[in-house]
Amino acid sequence: MKKIFVSFLGVVAALLLTGCNMDLPLTHNTDGDKPMENVQDVVSALNGAMQQFGGYRFMGRNYVATGDFCGDISKANAGTGHFLHMNGWTFDENTGDLEEMWTAGYVIISACTRGIEGANHIMPTLTTDADKQILTNCLQQFYGLKAATYFYLSNLFCKAYSAEHAPGLGLILIKDELVKPEVKVERTSLEDTYKYILELIAKAYTYDNKEVSPFFINPINLKAIEAKVLLYMRDYAGAAAAADVVLTSKTYKDVKVGESDYLSMWNTVAAVPEDVFTIVKSDNDNLSANALNTLYGSYKGIVDLTFVQPFFKEGDYRAKLFDAKSSRTLKYEGTPTAKAVSNIHVIRLSEVYLIKAEAAAQLGNVADAQAALLYTAKRNPAITAVADLPSTKEDLLKFIAEERIRELFTEGNRYFDLRRTEATATIAGKANFKPYNAVFPIPASEINAGFMTQQNDDWASNLPK
């Protein structure tokens, strides 16, 4: 596999020579050809992996933008051209946004693999409990981050998980060792890819991670990641149980977010009560052209209000997060002192409640679904109690799908929701398109290298028609 044949440092160096900005400073990385020697080496490797995960090539822009611009939420601007190929479904094997996500995903996976190896190598040499705890914290985070990266990468380059698609092509699994140069590799099945994601999460739980910040993998948001993975696998009982762990935890069980706090959370880089797993930015980050904010700002991406606006009832304060005149999303307006800077809410508390609601509804547990759904639904002032919510499984699932639009628009979920639920939408101007079978092509640079040649051969035949 081209992108992981060379040493890990070589991959990072290659990335530094592409694009107009690199989110990851080299000071947050370690020499990929040199064994890790101390605790600080492992901590630096974890910081580097996290910054790659939150960089614009992956979750800091491209993945989130794909979820909305390839769905029916957002529209790119033909004048600026940014993300236009993705929005118009005119991408191909040479589209830069896809290559960036493929490469970044495997850089993160390789960094985590190497970090795990380094931590396990150093652990027996440590003499203090404090140092051992630091490495234990790092190990859970490496395993959790690796699992999350495989999950998001699979949403891009594999078909939606289902019994029908499970035997099909998944991803290349890098387990205990990095891939050696010039070694041919093959993609495993989608089923085995998801099994490995769950194995990574299970392994992460074996480490006593003391981290509590939502800006890093911690024991609670790891459960939120698991809940989302299981929802995508259609394991509704598992998804509901994992979501329950989050919702009943000491951190989140009493969280109540009113209108003022809800609207203000989008223009701060401080932690807020809704944060479960969040990519934190800083006011002095030089995100410039590569920010998700810029894609919706000076590059003039907009919310398709002809689609989105009808879902909001009068008084629903979430509608205040788009500008009805300019069609801008106000979720990425930046902070008062840095307009290109916004935290990326990978998983918010609202989404965990919606996962619980959907999973419960799918299981026919109407009361549980209503109770979970009320957390977000009451942002419409006409809804004050579960009696105001639908009372049948079918009506609840329809309401939840619409609630996910209201609550999560421009947060990167819509296209992936359409795929996993086998729903239809008007996409790229084509009505009643069902993206269930849609999948992005593996970048040509990977296939042409000759070490991994398994393309998604039917990607072009499953475009909107």
Side-chain angles (χ1 to χ4, degrees):
M1 184 178 179
K2 178 185 176 184
K3 299 298 180 187
I4 52 175
F5 284 156
V6 294
S7 71
F8 173 62
L9 181 63
V11 175
V12 174
L15 282 174
L16 281 170
L17 298 176
T18 63
C20 54
N21 180 49
M22 181 65 185
D23 289 343
L24 172 61
L26 283 178
T27 53
H28 288 179
N29 227 326
T30 54
D31 188 335
D33 292 326
K34 180 183 177 182
M36 294 184 191
E37 297 178 345
N38 52 55
V39 171
Q40 187 54 51
D41 283 348
V42 178
V43 172
S44 295
L46 178 61
N47 289 339
M50 279 296 299
Q51 290 207 29
Q52 282 284 353
F53 184 84
Y56 76 89
R57 294 180 175 88
F58 205 61
M59 295 302 294
R61 185 194 69 186
N62 283 3
Y63 181 92
V64 176
T66 295
D68 293 301
F69 284 88
C70 287
D72 48 10
I73 296 291
S74 303
K75 287 186 176 181
N77 184 279
T80 67
H82 287 269
F83 236 73
L84 193 63
H85 288 305
M86 299 296 287
N87 184 218
W89 286 65
T90 57
F91 50 77
D92 60 22
E93 300 98 323
N94 296 299
T95 298
D97 298 313
L98 292 173
E99 182 170 9
E100 285 177 346
M101 287 187 281
W102 174 268
T103 303
Y106 276 103
V107 167
I108 299 160
I109 289 165
S110 296
C112 291
T113 304
R114 185 171 176 273
I116 291 166
E117 179 184 42
N120 286 329
H121 172 72
I122 294 165
M123 186 72 81
T125 70
L126 300 180
T127 58
T128 70
D129 289 341
D131 280 346
K132 291 177 183 178
Q133 184 62 62
I134 291 171
L135 287 197
T136 300
N137 290 354
C138 288
L139 281 164
Q140 184 181 93
Q141 292 179 62
F142 277 129
Y143 278 108
L145 190 62
K146 188 174 180 180
T149 303
Y150 265 121
F151 170 66
Y152 292 114
L153 204 60
S154 72
N155 286 338
L156 296 164
F157 297 105
C158 308
K159 291 188 177 180
Y161 192 94
S162 67
E164 177 186 7
H165 291 160
L169 288 172
L171 295 172
I172 298 148
L173 301 185
I174 301 173
K175 295 193 173 182
D176 299 326
E177 296 180 354
L178 296 179
V179 175
K180 304 299 182 184
E182 300 184 4
V183 172
K184 290 189 175 182
V185 293
E186 294 185 352
R187 297 167 67 180
T188 189
S189 70
L190 181 59
E191 181 176 20
D192 285 343
T193 297
Y194 267 79
K195 283 182 178 178
Y196 185 54
I197 292 169
L198 294 179
E199 286 174 11
L200 288 168
I201 292 173
K203 183 67 174 178
Y205 289 139
T206 66
Y207 295 97
D208 180 24
N209 178 16
K210 302 297 187 184
E211 182 60 65
V212 296
S213 169
F215 300 150
F216 296 89
I217 299 290
N218 64 52
I220 299 300
N221 64 28
L222 188 59
K223 272 295 176 185
I225 294 168
E226 181 183 10
K228 190 161 184 172
V229 171
L230 292 170
L231 182 74
Y232 275 58
M233 293 181 73
R234 310 187 191 201
D235 179 353
Y236 300 119
D244 258 343
V245 173
V246 179
L247 300 178
T248 60
S249 68
K250 181 179 179 181
T251 304
Y252 296 108
K253 67 179 181 179
D254 295 322
V255 168
K256 294 178 177 62
V257 177
E259 178 177 353
S260 177
D261 290 337
Y262 184 80
L263 296 177
S264 65
M265 67 180 275
W266 302 99
N267 54 27
T268 180
V269 292
V272 298
E274 273 264 328
D275 283 327
V276 176
F277 183 32
T278 299
I279 296 166
V280 63
K281 300 297 183 180
S282 171
D283 270 359
N284 61 9
D285 282 347
N286 182 25
L287 302 179
S288 67
N290 298 316
L292 189 58
N293 299 41
T294 306
L295 184 58
Y296 281 110
S298 56
Y299 292 153
K300 299 181 180 179
I302 62 171
V303 178
D304 184 357
L305 293 186
T306 59
F307 170 70
V308 173
Q309 210 163 19
F311 288 102
F312 290 87
K313 303 299 183 183
E314 184 177 356
D316 191 325
Y317 58 76
R318 292 170 295 186
K320 294 180 180 180
L321 289 173
F322 55 75
D323 186 318
K325 291 182 179 179
S326 66
S327 299
R328 295 195 329 272
T329 175
L330 304 184
K331 290 182 176 179
Y332 304 108
E333 287 287 281
T335 70
T337 55
K339 292 302 181 184
V341 171
S342 291
N343 286 354
I344 306 296
H345 301 277
V346 180
I347 302 178
R348 289 193 291 116
L349 186 60
S350 290
E351 185 180 0
V352 182
Y353 273 104
L354 289 169
I355 289 171
K356 171 66 184 297
E358 183 175 343
Q362 289 284 5
L363 294 168
N365 297 334
V366 170
D368 285 353
Q370 290 174 320
L373 185 54
L374 188 61
Y375 179 84
T376 62
K378 65 184 179 182
R379 287 166 181 161
N380 169 7
I383 296 174
T384 61
V386 293
D388 300 320
L389 295 170
S391 57
T392 68
K393 174 181 176 178
E394 292 73 19
D395 289 343
L396 271 170
L397 288 171
K398 181 177 183 294
F399 187 95
I400 291 165
E402 294 173 351
E403 186 69 0
R404 288 183 68 88
I405 294 170
R406 287 185 285 268
E407 185 65 35
L408 303 175
F409 73 91
T410 67
E411 294 180 57
N413 289 279
R414 177 60 174 168
Y415 164 66
F416 305 110
D417 282 346
L418 290 168
R419 287 203 327 156
R420 68 178 179 81
T421 60
E422 302 187 42
T424 61
T426 298
I427 292 179
K430 305 298 188 292
N432 299 314
F433 174 58
K434 184 179 180 179
Y436 167 63
N437 287 310
V439 65
F440 296 117
I442 304 298
S445 60
E446 190 65 76
I447 301 297
N448 294 341
F451 302 110
M452 197 294 292
T453 58
Q454 295 162 294
Q455 181 57 275
N456 292 320
D457 292 330
D458 63 347
W459 71 267
S461 63
N462 286 304
L463 300 175
K465 293 180 178 62

